Amino acid sequence: MPNGVNKFIVLETVDSTNNYAMALVQNGEANSGDAVFALDQTAGKGRRGKQWESTKGENIILTVITAMEWLSVLNQFQVSVAVALAGYELISRYTNEEIKIKWPND
């Protein structure tokens, strides 16, 4: 994208933000840093091919496209952990609501 501007796509409903993002990548329509956010997803994907369930309106359903050739596949999950912890800390500062991280159970 020109001038370092990334896309932030907001969808009402999608099967999976991951599927949507992957289609953008495969079609050459995405750049590292683009993001896909959904209010609801009907067939979310967890780790290792497992289903990821979420309740509409109660979760942040987000896929961020990023080129990670610099990091081995074995260590890439640690980036997700760091992002989840940073997001938790940020959101905790601006809400009195109870929030929690939904860690993959697989």
Side-chain angles (χ1 to χ4, degrees), residues 39-58:
L39 299 171
D40 186 31
Q41 69 178 0
T42 58
K45 295 168 63 174
R47 293 177 58 221
R48 301 182 187 139
K50 302 246 177 141
Q51 186 172 353
W52 183 270
E53 295 183 13
S54 57
T55 304
K56 184 177 181 178
E58 292 186 10

Side-chain angles (χ1 to χ4, degrees), residues 2-3 19-20 25 27 37 42 45 56 60-61 72 78 80 89:
N3 301 321
N19 286 346
Y20 191 97
V25 170
N27 291 332
F37 174 84
T42 58
K45 295 168 63 174
K56 184 177 181 178
I60 297 172
I61 305 167
S72 76
Q78 299 308 316
S80 293
E89 185 175 321

Side-chain angles (χ1 to χ4, degrees), residues 22-90:
M22 188 60 75
L24 292 175
V25 170
Q26 291 172 346
N27 291 332
E29 300 172 6
N31 293 298
S32 185
D34 289 351
V36 179
F37 174 84
L39 299 171
D40 186 31
Q41 69 178 0
T42 58
K45 295 168 63 174
R47 293 177 58 221
R48 301 182 187 139
K50 302 246 177 141
Q51 186 172 353
W52 183 270
E53 295 183 13
S54 57
T55 304
K56 184 177 181 178
E58 292 186 10
N59 302 280
I60 297 172
I61 305 167
L62 177 70
T63 295
V64 178
I65 299 164
T66 183
M68 296 182 57
E69 299 89 15
W70 55 271
L71 186 62
S72 76
V73 172
L74 296 174
N75 294 319
Q76 289 179 6
F77 180 68
Q78 299 308 316
V79 173
S80 293
V81 170
V83 170
L85 292 170
Y88 177 87
E89 185 175 321
L90 175 70

